[in-house]
Amino acid sequence: FGAATPHARTIEVRSTLARAHAAAGELTTAIALMQRCLADAVAMHGESSFEAGIHHRSLARMWLDAGDTEMSRSQADAALGIVAASGDASSSFVGDLRLMRAQAWLADGAPGAALPDLDEASRIAALLKGEVDIITQVTPDHNDRINANPTTRAVGALYAGLDFFAGYPITP
């Protein structure tokens, strides 16, 4: 664990241990371990590496669980920047990061993170203009409009036996 040059297996073990601490509710320890994993991944692979992005994502979730929404958004933004630079902005990884950012905004009570009181057309327009990170309850007939924009994506999922569609931007 104390080697000057990080080893991939050491990072993997430390990351697994961090997730175990997080699952046990020991978020301070989990965050410290994951920050070390991030530093080692950056030393091994570089700041813009996919490995660094994964650790930024893990930290975003841990900070959100710890109640520090500013740090959560910061880590999610860093991970989104890495993914956008790689050109793989359509992955579920991006959707997960966007959802975490929206959860952080909602936890802060910020209006505009989600716009449930607006009609569907207004919510879609806000998404297409980049004013919001995610919208939900999109009817399937609007998927083509959302997908036609090069910076947004519509996705669907089965939830409680119902089709659930959401739209999200694909660039940070």
Side-chain angles (χ1 to χ4, degrees), residues 3 7-8 11-12 14 17 24 26 52 55 58 64-65 68 74 77 88 95 99-100 106 110-111 143 148 153 160:
H7 188 278
I11 297 171
E12 181 181 353
R14 192 177 286 128
L17 184 59
E26 300 165 0
H55 296 302
S58 295
L64 185 60
D65 290 346
D68 192 330
S74 172
D77 287 344
D88 186 22
L99 182 59
M100 273 191 273
L106 288 170
N143 288 353
R153 189 73 56 235

Side-chain angles (χ1 to χ4, degrees), residues 112-152:
L115 304 172
D117 56 330
L118 297 178
D119 62 271
E120 186 173 32
S122 298
R123 290 184 293 115
I124 291 170
L127 175 71
L128 296 176
K129 289 190 281 185
E131 295 173 354
V132 296
D133 284 337
I134 190 170
I135 60 173
T136 60
Q137 300 174 350
V138 178
T139 56
D141 56 313
H142 291 288
N143 288 353
D144 289 340
R145 179 176 174 207
I146 293 170
N147 288 331
N149 186 322
T151 63
T152 58

